[in-house]
Amino acid sequence: MTTIRNIVLVHGGFVDGSGWQGVYDELTRAGLRVYIVQNPTRSLEDDAAVTRRVLDGLDGPAVLVGHSYGGVVISEAGTHSNVASLAYIAAFAPDKGESVNTFIAAPPVPPILPPVEGFLFLDRDEFAASFAADLPDQVAAFMADSQVPWGVDALAGPVTEPAWRHKPSWYLVATEDRMIPPPAQRMMAERAGANVVEVIGSHAVHISQPAAVAELIREAAAR
């Protein structure tokens, strides 16, 4: 069995790649080479292109990892030849023609405010409860106040050919997630034929439970 040495981490909406710090620390301590994609979350097409540029520069195969909306990005970009496996962390795993909008139309609906000039934010007062319920209050407040605008075009962007139909996949279900309901996560994971682990955590499980997330990624790297 050959362990994949490269790990590429893709963040979701409303946040940036700094949320991967704890997972990065866990993986680099294990001797893996970790890359953080700073996708601008303006459109799926653009975010997939940014991710592919990172993949283009690798010296070998990688595990491509996505959190939340990052799961849409890795589903679109993961057909790249340098991607050996996929890992979804409390993430959307759309099928062909599906987008984020496919999944958030049904209740419970996240507390997303009406768009302003084509960009979305989460209601600051509801950010902690919906996104980061298991993080310290001060950390959740900082995240709420440092939100990255999420483009409405990114939510509407449909996946053209889902990578999980062609690459082995792993999925971490966050059982206390209030952004992507756990039943929806389980449905997407089952549909993708993913190896599934369930962790008690909020949507920000990659921040609150970095060791558990890193363990799942190491499993995907040891395929």
Side-chain angles (χ1 to χ4, degrees):
M1 182 179 293
T2 302
T3 298
I4 299 165
R5 308 308 304 176
N6 295 315
I7 311 295
V8 177
L9 305 176
V10 183
H11 66 81
F14 305 121
V15 296
D16 64 17
S18 64
W20 288 114
Q21 178 72 59
V23 174
Y24 174 93
D25 291 344
E26 293 280 345
L27 294 173
T28 54
R29 275 196 294 267
L32 299 171
R33 180 68 176 93
V34 184
Y35 302 80
I36 312 293
V37 178
Q38 291 285 16
N39 50 310
T41 66
R42 293 177 181 172
S43 73
L44 176 58
E45 182 180 14
D46 189 31
D47 295 334
V50 171
T51 302
R52 290 189 190 102
R53 282 198 290 273
V54 173
L55 294 167
D56 286 341
L58 301 183
D59 59 0
V63 179
L64 184 58
V65 185
H67 169 252
S68 190
Y69 162 70
V72 185
V73 178
I74 71 170
S75 296
E76 181 69 10
T79 53
H80 192 287
S81 59
N82 277 340
V83 176
S85 58
L86 305 162
Y88 293 85
I89 311 301
F92 296 105
D95 205 344
K96 183 176 182 178
E98 294 179 344
S99 66
V100 172
N101 285 341
T102 304
F103 297 96
I104 66 171
V109 178
I112 300 174
L113 298 172
V116 176
E117 297 182 356
F119 291 95
L120 301 166
F121 290 91
L122 277 181
D123 187 321
R124 186 200 177 281
D125 292 337
E126 297 187 50
F127 188 98
S130 60
F131 197 106
D134 57 354
L135 295 182
D137 291 345
Q138 192 170 10
V139 174
F142 176 81
M143 292 174 66
D145 287 334
S146 62
Q147 290 182 62
V148 177
W150 193 7
V152 295
D153 289 343
L155 279 75
V159 168
T160 57
E161 181 57 36
W164 51 259
R165 288 196 173 276
H166 308 280
K167 310 288 175 79
S169 301
W170 278 253
Y171 198 110
L172 185 144
V173 174
T175 62
E176 305 302 312
D177 197 328
R178 297 176 186 170
M179 291 291 293
I180 306 176
Q185 293 184 38
R186 296 183 184 107
M187 180 279 290
M188 289 184 282
E190 181 178 3
R191 183 175 64 177
N195 300 278
V196 180
V197 170
E198 297 208 0
V199 172
I200 300 172
S202 73
H203 192 60
V205 66
H206 61 308
I207 301 174
S208 65
Q209 305 271 355
V213 172
E215 177 60 26
L216 179 90
I217 295 169
R218 286 195 296 268
E219 290 179 13
R223 54 177 293 273

